[in-house]
């Protein structure tokens, strides 16, 4: 049988209202009475019904988080930032993996809203009209995390992806590289794909260099696609002197493809990327990359969401955090 608040009240010899005040940490309970109620709770093994409490207060103290790829270390770091701030403000997290599929993202968003979450954090790729339509059916706050919508109408926390890619390619140019290849993400992805490609393109154009389609390959952010793209570049009649990858995992794949071909990084080909996952400092040579403050993105997004859920004043609902070039050993001068 499920133990109810009525059972605890009878065991402790107090009213159900007194048990409710104790469970909800109301200070207006005598210490002796509080002790008696807690002892009854422990004896009976009572657990407050979160669903019933949520119905009464119209709050579930639960936040839904949509994550694109739970196996990707970069999103795990964001989730850690979200979780730490959620704990600080006494919110629970429901984490849902969407596999970078729009249909699943929409389905997960609707499922979380049906579960009466108090707020929603969305990490994903392109924020399409279908996403906006799903968000608009919600009466709870929504914050975009590590992504933005084109019109900038939804609160968001991210970096300037175009500027991050631009800084990476500028680093290669400053070392004398002129034939620079790019392993891009899909250009339908506004951040890791399109924006980072635009940063690559802007850096080359400012240096008076053409954007050669032969030197751009589209990957899927995975290690294997980085290897395949690098193998393609190595097979060109005039191979590039440097490779810029849109993320670290593809960059590490590129490093290993170069090494498997009997060449050296950076002596024969330099490699640079964006993200700064833990593996970037573990690979040899250590990867030069532009760091995203992934933990901070998650933490700031969750803090912004708490303000919106509590209807606190928000000065800036579109937060752009700084990125940082981390110089290691995978880039050399030519």
């Amino acid at each position: 049988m499920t133990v109810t608040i009525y059972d605890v009240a009878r065991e402790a010899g107090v009213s159900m209202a007194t048990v409710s005040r104790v469970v909800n940490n109301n200070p207006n309970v005598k210490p002796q009475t509080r002790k008696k109620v807690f002892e009854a709770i422990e004896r009976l093994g009572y657990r407050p019904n979160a669903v019933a409490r949520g119905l009464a207060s119209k709050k579930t103290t639960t936040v839904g988080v949509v994550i694109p790829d739970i196996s990707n270390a970069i999103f795990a770091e964001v989730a850690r930032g979200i979780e730490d701030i959620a704990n600080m403000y006494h919110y629970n997290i429901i984490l849902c993996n969407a596999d970078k599929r729009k249909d699943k993202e929409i389905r997960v968003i609707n499922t979380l809203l049906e579960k009466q979450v108090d707020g929603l954090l969305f990490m994903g790729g392109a924020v399409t009209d279908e996403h906006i339509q799903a968000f608009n059916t919600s009466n709870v706050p929504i914050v975009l995390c590590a992504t933005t919508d084109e019109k900038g109408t939804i609160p968001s926390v991210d970096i300037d992806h175009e500027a991050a890619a631009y800084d990476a390619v500028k680093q290669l140019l400053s070392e004398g590289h002129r034939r620079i290849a790019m392993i891009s993400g899909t250009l339908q992805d506004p951040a890791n794909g399109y924006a980072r490609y635009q940063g690559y393109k802007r850096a080359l154009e400012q240096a008076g260099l053409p954007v050669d389609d032969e030197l751009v390959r589209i990957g899927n952010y995975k290690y294997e696609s980085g290897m395949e793209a690098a193998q393609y570049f190595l097979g060109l009649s005039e191979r590039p002197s440097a490779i810029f990858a849109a993320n670290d995992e593809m960059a590490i794949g590129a490093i290993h493809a170069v090494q498997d071909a009997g060449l050296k990084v950076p002596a024969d080909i330099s490699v640079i990327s964006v993200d700064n996952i833990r593996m970037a400092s573990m690979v040899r040579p250590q990867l030069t990359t532009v760091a995203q403050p992934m933990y901070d993105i998650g933490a700031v997004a969750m803090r912004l969401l708490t303000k919106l859920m509590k209807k606190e004043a928000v000065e800036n609902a579109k937060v752009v955090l700084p990125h940082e070039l981390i110089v290691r050993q995978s880039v050399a001068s030519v």
Side-chain angles (χ1 to χ4, degrees):
M1 295 288 291
T2 301
V3 179
T4 67
I5 192 171
Y6 173 77
D7 298 321
V8 175
R10 185 175 57 187
E11 178 77 10
V14 299
S15 68
M16 287 190 289
T18 298
V19 176
S20 178
R21 283 193 289 270
V22 170
V23 168
N24 289 293
N25 296 316
N26 190 308
N28 299 321
V29 181
K30 293 178 181 178
Q32 185 177 358
T33 303
R34 187 181 300 276
K35 181 174 182 290
K36 189 161 53 173
V37 171
F38 275 131
E39 287 173 348
I41 287 172
E42 188 172 348
R43 280 197 302 274
L44 297 175
Y46 172 68
R47 293 291 181 273
N49 188 324
V51 173
R53 290 165 71 185
L55 289 172
S57 66
K58 297 185 179 178
K59 299 290 181 186
T60 61
T61 63
T62 302
V63 169
V65 179
V66 181
I67 189 168
D69 182 0
I70 203 165
S71 67
N72 189 320
I74 203 79
F75 296 118
E77 189 69 8
V78 179
R80 179 60 184 270
I82 292 170
E83 175 75 13
D84 285 352
I85 300 303
N87 285 337
M88 188 182 300
Y89 287 90
H90 308 293
Y91 284 95
N92 300 307
I93 296 295
I94 301 177
L95 189 66
C96 296
N97 180 54
D99 295 323
K100 291 186 177 180
R101 285 173 30 211
K102 184 175 74 171
D103 61 327
K104 190 172 181 181
E105 288 172 351
I106 302 298
R107 187 168 70 250
V108 165
I109 289 166
N110 289 323
T111 298
L112 289 170
L113 294 175
E114 288 168 6
K115 291 185 180 298
Q116 304 296 309
V117 293
D118 292 339
L120 187 70
L121 286 169
F122 177 78
M123 283 183 272
V127 179
T128 66
D129 290 340
E130 290 92 333
H131 290 92
I132 300 294
Q133 185 176 357
F135 294 151
N136 287 341
T137 64
S138 167
N139 59 356
V140 301
I142 292 167
V143 172
L144 304 179
C145 185
T147 190
T148 56
D149 63 312
E150 282 188 15
K151 297 178 181 177
T153 57
I154 303 174
S156 63
V157 180
D158 204 358
I159 67 164
D160 185 333
H161 293 274
E162 193 268 355
Y166 173 85
D167 289 346
V169 179
K170 283 284 286 185
Q171 178 68 14
L172 295 174
L173 291 166
S174 71
E175 297 290 350
H177 294 277
R178 291 297 177 267
R179 188 164 171 80
I180 301 171
M182 179 179 184
I183 308 173
S184 176
T186 172
L187 299 184
Q188 281 69 49
D189 179 345
N192 296 350
Y194 184 75
R196 293 185 185 183
Y197 171 74
Q198 289 299 313
Y200 164 79
K201 182 179 175 183
R202 178 163 70 94
L204 292 182
E205 288 174 345
Q206 282 191 3
L209 298 172
V211 178
D212 187 347
D213 290 342
E214 185 181 55
L215 294 180
V216 178
R217 301 296 283 179
I218 305 298
N220 63 1
Y221 308 112
K222 298 291 188 181
Y223 172 88
E224 292 78 11
S225 69
M227 285 197 76
E228 290 168 5
Q231 287 164 355
Y232 163 81
F233 295 140
L234 294 175
L236 295 175
S237 57
E238 184 185 357
R239 71 177 185 231
S241 66
I243 296 172
F244 164 57
N247 76 337
D248 290 345
E249 190 168 331
M250 291 194 296
I252 293 168
I255 287 174
H256 289 164
V258 171
Q259 292 170 338
D260 288 350
L263 300 173
K264 293 183 179 179
V265 176
D268 296 307
I269 297 181
S270 292
V271 178
I272 195 169
S273 62
V274 179
D275 278 347
N276 196 38
I277 62 174
R278 287 189 67 229
M279 191 63 68
S281 61
M282 297 177 185
V283 69
R284 293 297 180 271
Q286 292 182 324
L287 180 62
T288 293
T289 185
V290 177
Q292 290 195 73
M294 298 312 298
Y295 177 92
D296 292 346
I297 288 174
V300 172
M302 184 64 212
R303 180 65 185 108
L304 175 57
L305 186 62
T306 63
K307 287 184 176 182
L308 295 172
M309 290 188 294
K310 294 174 182 292
K311 294 181 169 55
E312 297 175 7
V314 174
E315 292 181 10
N316 184 10
K318 186 176 177 62
V319 181
V320 179
L321 296 179
H323 56 269
E324 179 187 5
L325 177 67
I326 307 295
V327 177
R328 294 195 179 101
Q329 301 152 2
S330 64
V331 173
S333 300
V334 293

